[in-house]
Amino acid sequence: GGAALLVASLPRGAQAATVDELIAEFTGGADVADSGVELTAPEIAENGNTVPIEVSAESAEAIMVLAAGNPTPPVATFTFGPLAASHYASTRIRLAGTQDVIAVAKLSDGTFARTSKNVKVTIGGCGG
Amino acid sequence: MAEGVRPRVKVPRSASAGDAITIKTLISHPMESGQRKDSDGNTIPRSIINRFTCEFNGESVVDVKMEPAISTNPYFEFEATVPEAGEFKFTWYDDDGSVYEETKAIEVG
Amino acid sequence: GNWARLAAQQALTQDQLLQFDTFGNVSLIHVTDIHAQLKPIYFREPSVNIGVGPNRGEVPHVTGADFRKLYGIDDGSPSHYALSSGDFSALAQEYGKVGGMDRVATVINAIRADRPDAILLDGGDTWHGSMTCLRTQGQDMVNVMNALKPDAMTFHWEFTLGSERVHEIVEGLPFAALGQNIFDKMWDEPAESFKPYEFFERGGVKVAVIGQAFPYMPIANPGWMFPEYSFGIRDEHMQEMVDEVRAQGAGLVVCLSHNGFDVDKKMAGVVSGIDVILTGHTHDALPEPVMVGDTILIASGSNGKFVSRVDLDVRDGRMMGFRHKLIPIFSDVIEPDKEVAALIDEQRAPFKEELEEVIGQTDSLLYRRGNFNGSWDDLICDALLSERDAEIAMSPGVRWGPSLIPGDPITREDIFNVTSMTYGEAYRTEMTGEFIKVVLEDVADNIFNPDPYYQQGGDMVRIGGMGYRIDVTKPQGERISEMTLLKSGEPIDPSRNYVVSGWASVNEGTEGPQIWDVVESHIRKMGTVTVGENDNVEVVGA
Ligand SMILES: [Mn+2]
Ligand SMILES: [Mn+2]
């Protein structure tokens, strides 16, 4: 159908911490490498209210997920225990529009890595 | 307390010692973000599950800090190592103080 | 000239249409996007079908005279009429209607007479698109298709019958219901009711057919009607399936796809090991396969207008060669199959009177296909503006819907053929100018995003009462400009509210009269319909 209403509305919070602030808090200000963590998400969300994502990083102690375009960017932080077979996790998140989803991993050697993936949230198309 | 909260988990019944297994969990919960308004324009108070943990025989598999951007009916999938026979314990912590638990035993053969 | 045309038409025979030098050891028969057109129809191919990014100027984004030149098709020839736009009304009068599932049955039977174990594959969009299909919740199409004995099928609009009805039908299907990308949404696992693939032993070859349903079902159609399912392209899972069937000994891997042509073309370059992709969804009809590496892509049109036959030589676990023909179904040339004709009449009998009632006449060619507008949608938008008392009208850019030629009566069946769906409510609402732009930008990006994986395979939402300019080369948010309210000639004010009427909303709980009733009421008042040229959309960058 041509016209639908916008999904996933999360109005802007009063004092949302910025993505940079949240990352600095997570890393303690350490440098962040551009490789070492993976994030899988659909190109186009079927529904902005429930977007499947997957994060993984070999040897990660913890992975933080942020949604840069949400009024409040924090999404979740996964901390892996000794019995985590792989440092992999999958969940479903809310995205208030097309935006970058960001994953930052704390690796076991104390270094940090980040990656991002753009997810399109559309109000609907028309079919053939 | 949120109504009708029901945890569901998928864990294989058995594994070989040292195997990596996939675990899937779902819990029915509205995950009220605290950012929505009702029809009178009043903010609906936040009421979410803010933490999820999975342990096996008392040792941690994963511990998740959850924010309001986690979808309704939170879903998690991850992998655990099974060193011996025992029990997985899953715990969800609600903003309102409620704690929901589920356990699954696994055999090693 | 006229003489050549008449001569060409007289020379057209069933034998000639079916002529095929049988080749190799495996035959595939492909039909797709029938949209419940049981009877012969007119169907005008698009004159505007813009390709973007890597597909700019590539087939199927070549139309009209350029298309004929590309394939060496003579002006006025049967192929001109069947495959391209231009001079449509005149050629339609000479060559007559196309399609009809009884004629399709004749063609399938003829191929089977040649190759008894030919594999018949249905690409989906089958249980949708007519009044009888809507009223019987797809049962008319299920009954007729079952008589053709397909071997497998995949899906798109079928899901708009609602998942309960889809389950009910699929459980009883005497052939495979395929979709490697149909997943159970709750647990993110392959859905139990749909197998990813099916094997067929043919000509000493193990043939694997992998299904690929429409990837963007919950976006392009109302996801609330099938909440249990998730789709997506899932090309990594497709690769796993290809590897899995190869490991099990498949000598030929066929993908029965409803991705849309450009998505399939990209997927053919990403996934290795597929021999043949039978494309669907974007309704393209191509007289020759398109090659991507070692994969051949077949485009078999829509609305029952074509049947594709692909003969393959498969030896030592490899496709060594192929021969292909896109067979146009000229309804006056191909003899209807009597059994299927009777079966079709049986499906239509309870609705006959309703279907055949004449509502008005048309002086104009009524067609839909094209990226920006078609005269059918102009008429539908006019109906929405006047019957729903709106300033702006929106009609979805779907690609189904047959044509009518000048002088034709407009029956109720004709109106349903371009409007019928399970969410046809014609809403009336207010939207700000800003929101209308958001809608246009959003839909435009689903069509003109240079990455095919972001394309949903429809056309631009049709707008009544408003003009605009579109630069298809720009990114989302910058394509649409110069939005103008036609009634006043004033620019659209981003902050003002406009009364908008449209139909086919994907939102649950949409209210309004059914669009076919709105259109019928409008046409009754008009008596004879004349639709003028539409120059309300200025296209840049095509
Ligand atoms: Mn179709
Ligand atoms: Mn389709």
Side-chain angles (χ1 to χ4, degrees):
Chain A
L5 296 177
L6 283 163
V7 291
S9 105
L10 297 173
R12 186 164 292 278
Q15 286 156 330
T18 66
V19 166
D20 289 346
E21 285 164 5
L22 291 160
I23 293 175
E25 192 187 323
F26 184 70
T27 62
D31 283 349
V32 182
D34 285 335
S35 65
V37 58
E38 286 187 35
L39 170 67
T40 309
E43 286 92 359
I44 307 180
E46 289 186 349
N47 175 351
N49 284 319
T50 169
V51 182
I53 61 152
E54 228 176 81
V55 289
S56 66
E58 239 178 276
S59 88
E61 278 177 17
I63 302 176
M64 176 176 70
V65 179
L66 303 173
N70 275 2
T72 58
V75 175
T77 303
F78 300 87
T79 303
F80 298 101
L83 289 183
S86 61
H87 298 153
Y88 149 88
S90 159
T91 188
R92 292 166 191 159
I93 70 175
R94 293 168 169 158
L95 296 179
T98 299
Q99 58 179 287
D100 284 333
V101 179
I102 300 166
V104 186
K106 182 184 186 191
L107 307 177
S108 58
D109 63 1
T111 64
F112 291 87
R114 72 173 275 174
T115 189
S116 68
K117 168 109 200 249
N118 190 263
V119 178
K120 181 174 168 179
V121 178
T122 168
I123 53 175
C126 297
Chain B
M1 168 168 175
E3 278 173 40
V5 176
R6 187 164 74 94
R8 272 172 289 184
V9 297
K10 277 194 170 187
V11 177
R13 288 219 178 83
S14 65
S16 301
D19 264 6
I21 59 159
T22 298
I23 293 176
K24 297 183 180 194
T25 73
L26 252 180
I27 188 162
S28 49
H29 194 285
M31 293 292 283
E32 192 55 61
S33 68
Q35 294 162 333
R36 293 200 312 148
K37 287 193 163 55
D38 64 19
S39 51
D40 298 329
N42 303 314
T43 301
I44 305 170
R46 171 181 142 152
S47 175
I48 69 165
I49 291 173
N50 56 53
R51 186 182 173 207
F52 164 74
T53 64
C54 169
E55 292 175 351
F56 181 73
N57 290 351
E59 214 168 353
S60 171
V61 177
V62 72
D63 187 333
V64 189
K65 178 169 187 278
M66 298 160 63
E67 307 285 352
I70 295 291
S71 304
T72 304
N73 305 334
Y75 170 85
F76 292 107
E77 181 182 329
F78 48 92
E79 291 180 331
T81 306
V82 185
E84 73 249 342
E87 195 175 70
F88 282 101
K89 185 177 170 194
F90 305 91
T91 315
W92 292 261
Y93 298 87
D94 197 310
D95 273 352
D96 67 7
S98 308
V99 175
Y100 317 104
E101 287 181 348
E102 178 79 335
T103 55
K104 284 277 178 198
I106 186 165
E107 290 166 12
V108 162
Chain C
N2 242 344
W3 278 110
R5 238 182 237 164
L6 284 171
Q9 187 193 359
Q10 280 160 8
L12 206 56
T13 65
Q14 178 166 322
D15 285 348
Q16 191 188 337
L17 291 174
L18 290 169
Q19 199 283 324
F20 196 101
D21 292 326
T22 305
F23 177 80
N25 49 346
V26 177
S27 294
L28 307 175
I29 308 171
H30 183 223
V31 290
T32 192
D33 294 271
I34 295 165
H35 287 283
Q37 296 305 312
L38 291 169
K39 301 289 275 185
I41 46 142
Y42 294 113
F43 193 90
R44 175 192 178 274
E45 298 297 330
S47 53
V48 180
N49 183 3
I50 301 168
V52 286
N55 292 309
R56 193 185 168 97
E58 300 287 320
V59 292
H61 305 285
V62 180
T63 58
D66 294 337
F67 181 95
R68 296 194 290 279
K69 196 174 164 210
L70 181 68
Y71 288 106
I73 294 168
D74 290 338
D75 283 356
S77 67
S79 291
H80 170 172
Y81 170 59
L83 292 163
S84 69
S85 58
D87 213 8
F88 184 80
S89 300
L91 292 171
Q93 272 169 352
E94 300 200 18
Y95 288 112
K97 291 188 175 181
V98 293
M101 293 313 292
D102 44 6
R103 276 81 167 176
V104 168
T106 299
V107 171
I108 291 168
N109 290 339
I111 299 171
R112 282 177 173 151
D114 225 20
R115 177 95 78 191
D117 64 355
I119 303 171
L120 173 59
L121 300 169
D122 174 4
D125 280 355
T126 308
W127 315 335
H128 158 268
S130 72
M131 185 210 269
T132 55
C133 186
L134 185 69
R135 293 281 166 81
T136 64
Q137 293 188 282
Q139 195 61 48
D140 64 332
M141 289 307 293
V142 172
N143 295 345
V144 171
M145 290 306 287
N146 284 355
L148 304 185
K149 297 188 170 55
D151 292 287
M153 175 184 182
T154 193
F155 304 90
H156 171 193
W157 276 87
E158 286 74 12
F159 276 85
T160 65
L161 293 172
S163 36
E164 204 177 312
R165 175 64 175 150
V166 172
H167 287 157
E168 185 183 32
I169 299 177
V170 164
E171 269 169 34
L173 282 184
F175 52 86
L178 302 179
Q180 71 86 23
N181 60 336
I182 308 178
F183 271 56
D184 166 74
K185 192 154 134 193
M186 189 182 288
W187 295 106
D188 192 34
E189 289 165 0
E192 279 175 15
S193 307
F194 304 90
K195 294 173 68 175
Y197 54 79
E198 181 85 343
F199 286 113
F200 302 93
E201 292 283 342
R202 296 289 193 276
V205 178
K206 193 167 183 178
V207 179
V209 177
I210 305 175
Q212 174 81 351
F214 177 51
Y216 293 121
M217 209 107 59
I219 303 167
N221 303 96
W224 59 268
M225 291 183 167
F226 38 91
E228 305 91 336
Y229 295 106
S230 170
F231 301 84
I233 299 170
R234 298 181 192 262
D235 50 13
E236 286 174 15
H237 192 255
M238 175 66 81
Q239 184 68 65
E240 280 174 41
M241 295 301 101
V242 173
D243 296 345
E244 196 172 304
V245 297
R246 288 281 182 198
Q248 289 178 61
L252 182 76
V253 178
V254 177
C255 175
L256 177 62
S257 173
H258 204 95
N259 271 339
F261 195 87
D262 290 352
V263 178
D264 275 323
K265 202 172 152 189
K266 177 171 174 182
M267 193 180 78
V270 174
V271 176
S272 62
I274 302 175
D275 296 303
V276 183
I277 302 181
L278 302 170
T279 74
H281 181 60
T282 38
H283 293 197
D284 315 291
L286 297 178
E288 291 170 18
V290 169
M291 302 281 309
V292 178
D294 293 331
T295 306
I296 64 171
L297 274 66
I298 307 291
S300 307
S302 69
N303 288 267
K305 193 177 169 183
F306 299 96
V307 172
S308 281
R309 174 176 179 180
V310 190
D311 277 22
L312 301 134
D313 179 16
V314 187
R315 271 176 287 152
D316 309 323
R318 281 195 60 198
M319 183 175 87
M320 312 297 278
F322 63 87
R323 190 169 289 165
H324 159 264
K325 186 173 184 179
L326 179 72
I327 303 165
I329 309 298
F330 284 91
S331 315
D332 296 344
V333 177
I334 294 169
E335 189 72 24
D337 177 89
K338 284 198 177 60
E339 267 174 52
V340 175
L343 187 60
I344 291 170
D345 287 345
E346 201 182 298
Q347 310 308 312
R348 295 169 55 86
F351 311 99
K352 196 168 186 297
E353 221 171 291
E354 235 184 316
L355 288 164
E356 291 175 357
E357 189 177 335
V358 174
I359 310 301
Q361 306 279 326
T362 182
D363 272 351
S364 309
L365 168 65
L366 296 180
Y367 66 96
R368 172 167 278 152
R369 279 299 305 276
N371 280 154
F372 298 99
N373 34 45
S375 46
W376 253 128
D377 284 309
D378 289 342
L379 178 59
I380 291 169
C381 284
D382 285 347
L384 286 165
L385 291 174
S386 110
E387 296 289 314
R388 300 291 283 142
D389 190 23
E391 296 175 279
I392 294 170
M394 294 187 177
S395 191
V398 294
R399 293 189 164 195
W400 41 269
S403 314
L404 293 179
I405 61 175
D408 271 354
I410 305 173
T411 64
R412 185 172 290 116
E413 172 166 33
D414 296 324
I415 296 172
F416 269 82
N417 277 347
V418 291
T419 55
S420 92
M421 58 166 62
T422 54
Y423 51 106
E425 290 82 5
Y427 61 84
R428 182 178 190 275
T429 187
E430 289 196 357
M431 290 183 191
T432 62
E434 188 184 8
F435 187 72
I436 294 168
K437 181 169 190 297
V438 167
V439 170
L440 293 189
E441 290 283 359
D442 199 89
V443 178
D445 197 60
N446 294 335
I447 301 157
F448 300 115
N449 191 303
D451 182 344
Y453 277 13
Y454 287 84
Q455 295 170 11
Q456 292 168 23
D459 287 311
M460 193 63 188
V461 55
R462 277 68 162 127
I463 305 289
M466 193 190 90
Y468 65 94
R469 179 179 193 266
I470 177 167
D471 184 340
V472 298
T473 64
K474 289 277 192 339
Q476 182 170 1
E478 296 171 27
R479 290 190 180 94
I480 308 293
S481 62
E482 291 172 40
M483 289 162 55
T484 308
L485 191 66
L486 295 177
K487 198 168 59 181
S488 64
E490 299 278 320
I492 295 288
D493 177 352
S495 59
R496 202 199 115 180
N497 273 320
Y498 294 87
V499 177
V500 177
S501 181
W503 60 290
S505 166
V506 298
N507 291 336
E508 189 167 9
T510 301
E511 288 176 10
Q514 295 293 354
I515 185 65
W516 43 88
D517 292 331
V518 173
V519 174
E520 175 171 325
S521 167
H522 178 69
I523 292 175
R524 269 195 203 288
K525 286 175 194 156
M526 304 272 294
T528 298
V529 165
T530 307
V531 182
E533 278 292 300
N534 183 333
D535 54 4
N536 301 335
V537 183
E538 185 194 346
V539 182
V540 181

